[in-house]
Amino acid sequence: KVRGKALALPAREEFLRFVEEIRKAGARQSRDCANLVKFLAYSGVRIGEAKFVTWADANLPRRELHVRGDPDTATKNGETRYVPMIPELEQMLTELRSQRVDEPATATVMRVFECQNSMTHAAEKSGMKRITHHDLRHLFATICIESGVDIHTVSRWLGHKDGGALCMKNYGHLRQDTRFAQARRVTFGLVA
């Protein structure tokens, strides 16, 4: 058996502090790195897919993101997909587009395509465990599941083709507070 790595994902508030730490780091591309981190966490796309997302792919009126991947090889599974925008992603893309109205529809939404060093430094400064670009995909899936989105839907948003098996294996864990909250929802109708 191959065991997956134990995920040590930040809590929602911790994630927001982490992003702010990246944004205010003072490097030339700190703001762009913070945007990339939020984009990955709010969309669940892979880092290799994010760099090909253009303004034409961000359909703000429909609140939908078209994930095409590499123009030659497409996404990891060879297909494109549509991901509905969660409110934070919609707000972020709306703000970015209003700041960059002159960019053509063919321009990429993200201006940087890698920011691991910024993420590592921000994690150290904010006292959290180091996370990677791919961990942001795990964070997206975890937050979706904790928010009540069913695993099959999350699996489709992530571009999995196995009906949710991999998603269940990798993201079916819930943090302890969420598990207890879910347990309180279960009743046999006997409690007075």
Side-chain angles (χ1 to χ4, degrees), residues 5-10 135 137-147 151 166-179 182:
K5 78 175 189 176
L7 296 176
L9 301 173
D135 288 333
R137 183 170 161 86
H138 293 301
L139 181 62
F140 171 79
T142 299
I143 296 293
C144 287
I145 292 165
E146 289 178 345
S147 298
I151 290 196
L166 180 63
C167 196
M168 184 61 150
K169 178 181 171 192
N170 290 334
Y171 310 118
H173 68 284
L174 294 175
R175 293 182 254 217
Q176 186 170 357
D177 56 340
T178 303
R179 288 194 318 252
Q182 293 299 317

Side-chain angles (χ1 to χ4, degrees), residues 18 119-130:
F18 169 69
M119 291 170 59
T120 300
H121 293 302
E124 288 173 7
K125 284 185 108 173
S126 61
M128 66 180 246
K129 291 190 180 218
R130 178 185 179 272

Side-chain angles (χ1 to χ4, degrees), residues 62-147:
R62 287 190 59 172
R63 296 180 177 106
E64 189 173 61
L65 188 66
H66 189 185
V67 183
R68 299 173 195 264
D70 185 289
D72 296 324
T73 61
T75 62
K76 183 177 177 181
N77 69 13
E79 296 178 357
T80 66
R81 67 183 181 280
Y82 291 89
V83 179
M85 293 182 193
I86 66 169
E88 289 87 352
L89 180 60
E90 179 185 3
Q91 178 183 359
M92 178 189 145
L93 293 178
T94 300
E95 289 172 6
L96 285 177
R97 191 60 172 152
S98 70
Q99 297 165 9
R100 296 158 47 187
V101 292
D102 295 332
E103 288 186 349
T106 57
T108 57
V109 173
M110 293 294 101
R111 291 188 166 168
V112 297
F113 308 117
E114 185 279 327
C115 58
Q116 189 60 60
N117 286 339
S118 296
M119 291 170 59
T120 300
H121 293 302
E124 288 173 7
K125 284 185 108 173
S126 61
M128 66 180 246
K129 291 190 180 218
R130 178 185 179 272
I131 61 173
T132 65
H133 296 108
H134 197 74
D135 288 333
L136 298 170
R137 183 170 161 86
H138 293 301
L139 181 62
F140 171 79
T142 299
I143 296 293
C144 287
I145 292 165
E146 289 178 345
S147 298

